[in-house]
Amino acid sequence: MAPPSFMAMALDEARAAAARGEVPVGCVVVRDGAVVARAGNRTVADKDPTGHAELIAIRAAAAALGSERLTDCDLYVTLEPCAMCAGAIAFARLRRVYFGAADPKGGAVENGVRFFASASCHHKPEVYGGIGESDSAALLKDFFQARRR
């Protein structure tokens, strides 16, 4: 299973995103036990609907490694990836995906379209859900409760 330290780093990125007023999602890309890239959501700050933590971290990892293929990398994210992010994960050929909280509304890995199970998905990473789930879910719940007040 995933070393908890990488999910803890993703949670730190999610907390930083929340402090900026972003939906608290954080992501870390790891290769050979070392962090290659890390990011939190930036859709509001960048005024960019594609500013999801996964996409930002994947872009940074690809740039750092000098390749569009991240075949020997693993991705840790605090929330189940959406369809857009699942597509990017497949195109990047990430080896494994570890996610925290399931997302029944917007998730596309274990919920929704189940992107990696689709016949049109050409790369299916290993997927491990529920890693740091309670911390990830609590962070999201607290964020949205505070916004509703």
Side-chain angles (χ1 to χ4, degrees):
M1 283 299 245
S5 61
F6 297 130
M7 188 55 79
M9 290 177 199
L11 281 161
D12 288 344
E13 290 294 330
R15 288 184 196 95
R20 295 190 304 270
E22 304 278 355
V23 173
V25 177
C27 182
V28 176
V29 176
V30 176
R31 178 182 178 199
D32 297 330
V35 174
V36 177
R38 53 193 294 170
N41 272 1
R42 294 193 53 85
T43 58
V44 175
D46 294 349
K47 296 178 180 37
D48 178 2
T50 69
H52 290 201
E54 298 97 319
L55 293 184
I56 296 166
I58 288 169
R59 287 180 191 129
L65 298 174
S67 176
E68 75 283 7
R69 299 284 187 244
L70 304 175
T71 56
D72 54 352
C73 294
D74 301 331
L75 183 138
Y76 296 78
V77 63
T78 58
L79 183 65
E80 177 182 356
C82 70
M84 175 179 66
C85 293
I89 288 165
F91 281 118
R93 307 292 196 268
L94 282 149
R95 178 177 53 191
R96 293 183 197 100
V97 174
Y98 300 92
F99 72 85
D103 186 355
K105 282 184 166 181
V109 176
E110 291 183 351
N111 291 285
V113 299
R114 298 181 183 201
F115 188 86
F116 300 132
S118 168
S120 61
C121 180
H122 299 294
H123 173 75
K124 298 164 181 31
E126 293 175 35
V127 176
Y128 303 93
I131 310 300
E133 180 175 17
S134 60
D135 290 338
S136 297
L139 188 57
L140 286 156
K141 181 181 175 186
D142 292 348
F143 176 81
F144 286 112
Q145 279 182 343
R147 306 264 306 186
R148 289 185 194 108
R149 287 187 207 130

